[in-house]
């Protein structure tokens, strides 16, 4: 990445407040229009009013993307680029779409123009890493991911950790001598209540109050694991057990994980849809089990996988990989609103 663009970056003329309002209004109308043709007309008009800034070009490109017309989206952005626009947002979208079209060299040429001090620099680095992986240039991808891992705002992002795990599986360990807590959990054969508290903090954004108010008989407030465990209980993701202890090393069964994530979805007002029909093929749990409907629902949503056609495995231990996948699927459902 370069630290600044040299030379011939065209500057947009100053727009009047009225013109700015008109362009913003056209973009808004396009985004809320029920007619695709009308939306395109609004955005093309906005571009004619403002040919040298990126907003309208990006909005039109995103509209074509929503229609699965990536080649048209690229064409729109290229017209802005040809007009002399070098705004980081346009460069980023050009790089992203070029990557979707497997134009790796072009993608890199746009992304490398984004200045280091811009907010899109690190997302562009991530796209560079993705591009290198698609080209099977894993060593360069490791370099980019190692760069991202130095930034607190990126080192624990799920997409970065997922890419790191993929490279580790291919044998590229050199840049990753230390594992993050989440990576340690994913590699574990079984997870504990403390592991679930870590995953809840990472995926669900749970964090404890600065002033500790919970007391556990088995975890001192000064212990390093206390904030994570306290946060999980404080937000009712996990419970303090009747003996007043947290039991951080206690293993987690599949029914436990289903119960915790189901309750979190309820807390977030998730729409579960129509009731789940009873599953008669499972031999280890029946409708008399207090968690039966809950587990069947979580299996239907793809959060918890059954152990087989005739076995749910409610009392089997949960692996780190399965726990991580369950949290990722939960967040995917919450983000999609489905």
């Amino acid at each position: 990445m370069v630290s600044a663009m040299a030379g011939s970056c065209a500057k947009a003329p100053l727009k009047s407040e009225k013109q700015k309002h008109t362009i913003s209004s056209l973009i808004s109308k396009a985004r809320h229009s029920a007619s695709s043709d009308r939306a395109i007309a609004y955005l093309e008009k906005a571009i004619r009013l403002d040919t040298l800034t990126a907003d309208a070009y990006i909005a039109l490109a995103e509209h074509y993307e929503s229609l699965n017309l990536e080649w048209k989206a690229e064409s729109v952005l290229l017209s802005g680029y040809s007009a002399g626009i070098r705004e980081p947002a346009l460069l980023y979208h050009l790089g992203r779409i070029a990557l979707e079209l497997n134009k790796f060299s072009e993608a890199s040429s746009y992304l490398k123009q984004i200045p280091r001090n811009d907010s899109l620099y690190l997302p562009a680095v991530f796209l560079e890493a993705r591009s290198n992986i698609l080209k099977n240039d894993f060593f360069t991808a490791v370099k980019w991911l190692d760069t991202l891992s130095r930034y607190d705002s990126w080192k624990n992002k799920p997409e970065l950790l997922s890419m790191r795990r993929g490279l580790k599986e291919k044998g590229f360990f050199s840049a990753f001598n230390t594992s993050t807590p989440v990576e340690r959990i994913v590699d574990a054969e079984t997870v504990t209540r403390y592991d679930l508290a870590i995953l809840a903090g990472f995926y669900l954004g749970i964090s404890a109050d600065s002033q500790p108010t919970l007391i556990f008989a088995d975890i001192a407030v000064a212990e390093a694991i206390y904030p994570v465990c306290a946060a999980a209980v404080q937000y009712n993701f996990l419970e303090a057990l009747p003996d007043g202890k947290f039991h951080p090393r206690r293993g987690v069964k599949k029914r436990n994980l289903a119960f915790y994530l189901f309750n979190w979805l309820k807390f977030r007002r998730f729409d579960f849809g129509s009731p789940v029909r009873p599953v008669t093929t499972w031999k280890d749990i029946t409708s008399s089990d207090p968690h039966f409907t809950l587990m069947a629902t979580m299996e239907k949503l793809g959060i918890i996988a059954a152990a087989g056609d005739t076995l749910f495995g409610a009392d089997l231990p949960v692996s780190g990989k399965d726990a991580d996948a369950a949290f990722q699927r939960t967040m995917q459902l919450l983000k999609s609103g489905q």
Side-chain angles (χ1 to χ4, degrees):
M1 299 286 173
V2 296
S3 59
M5 267 298 296
S8 61
C9 187
K11 293 184 178 180
L14 294 175
K15 299 185 291 292
S16 68
E17 289 302 318
K18 182 178 179 180
Q19 189 180 16
K20 288 180 183 178
H21 176 76
T22 301
I23 293 167
S24 177
S25 177
L26 287 167
I27 293 173
S28 178
K29 285 180 179 178
R31 286 174 173 160
H32 292 90
S33 176
S35 166
S36 177
D37 290 341
R38 190 175 296 117
I40 292 170
Y42 285 138
L43 294 170
E44 288 179 341
K45 182 177 180 180
I47 289 173
R48 289 194 297 270
L49 288 172
D50 181 16
T51 60
L52 291 178
T53 53
D55 293 351
Y57 290 97
I58 292 171
L60 182 55
E62 288 176 339
H63 180 77
Y64 281 129
E65 275 193 282
S66 72
L67 301 174
N68 296 319
L69 296 171
E70 281 78 7
W71 66 273
K72 291 201 75 170
E74 182 189 38
S75 177
V76 168
L77 295 172
L78 283 173
S79 66
Y81 188 83
S82 297
I85 299 174
R86 298 297 185 271
E87 291 181 34
L90 187 123
L91 294 169
Y92 178 80
H93 283 279
L94 260 174
R96 181 178 58 77
I97 291 177
L99 186 56
E100 292 295 326
L101 296 172
N102 293 325
K103 298 180 178 181
F104 304 122
S105 297
E106 291 93 328
S108 183
S109 70
Y110 300 130
L111 296 170
K112 285 180 177 177
Q113 295 179 53
I114 297 176
R116 287 180 179 271
N117 61 356
D118 190 85
S119 62
L120 287 172
Y121 173 72
L122 294 180
V125 169
F126 180 77
L127 288 184
E128 286 273 27
R130 184 175 159 218
S131 175
N132 288 121
I133 288 174
L134 292 172
K135 293 188 295 183
N136 294 324
D137 183 0
F138 301 117
F139 288 104
T140 305
V142 165
K143 181 193 74 172
W144 287 123
L145 294 180
D146 189 40
T147 297
L148 283 174
S149 298
R150 298 170 193 164
Y151 292 85
D152 289 339
S153 61
W154 265 85
K155 65 183 180 182
N156 287 321
K157 280 185 177 287
E159 56 266 39
L160 176 62
L161 294 177
S162 176
M163 198 173 282
R164 282 168 56 120
R165 285 198 293 270
L167 286 170
K168 278 189 173 184
E169 290 170 2
K170 294 179 183 296
F172 293 89
F173 289 96
S174 58
F176 309 130
N177 294 323
T178 59
S179 295
T180 67
V182 172
E183 288 175 323
R184 175 189 61 75
I185 292 169
V186 171
D187 291 337
E189 291 187 11
T190 60
V191 295
T192 64
R193 283 168 54 83
Y194 175 51
D195 293 332
L196 286 195
I198 291 174
L199 291 173
F202 179 68
Y203 285 110
L204 309 181
I206 291 173
S207 60
D209 290 339
S210 57
Q211 296 296 324
T213 56
L214 295 171
I215 301 298
F216 303 119
D218 56 342
I219 304 176
V221 172
E223 285 189 62
I225 69 172
Y226 173 84
V228 173
C229 298
V233 174
Q234 180 182 328
Y235 282 85
N236 294 317
F237 181 76
L238 296 177
E239 78 284 23
L241 299 178
D243 60 3
K245 296 180 179 181
F246 183 85
H247 292 285
R249 305 302 174 193
R250 178 173 290 182
V252 175
K253 297 178 180 179
K254 190 179 291 188
R255 70 165 65 240
N256 303 136
L257 182 60
F259 176 79
Y260 297 139
L261 290 174
F262 180 86
N263 283 342
W264 185 259
L265 287 170
K266 283 180 63 178
F267 170 71
R268 293 289 301 273
R269 301 179 185 274
F270 177 75
D271 181 6
F272 289 94
S274 58
V276 176
R277 289 185 177 183
V279 179
T280 58
T281 56
W282 291 340
K283 299 185 183 301
D284 60 329
I285 57 170
T286 66
S287 57
S288 62
D289 189 301
H291 291 157
F292 172 76
T293 301
L294 178 154
M295 289 185 285
T297 299
M298 299 302 273
E299 196 262 349
K300 173 190 173 186
L301 291 172
I303 295 176
I304 306 291
D309 292 338
T310 61
L311 183 70
F312 181 80
D315 294 312
L316 293 176
V318 178
S319 71
K321 186 175 181 179
D322 287 345
D324 184 67
F327 274 89
Q328 289 197 45
R329 175 60 177 159
T330 299
M331 292 307 299
Q332 180 186 17
L333 290 171
L334 286 172
K335 288 178 179 178
S336 67
Q338 298 175 352

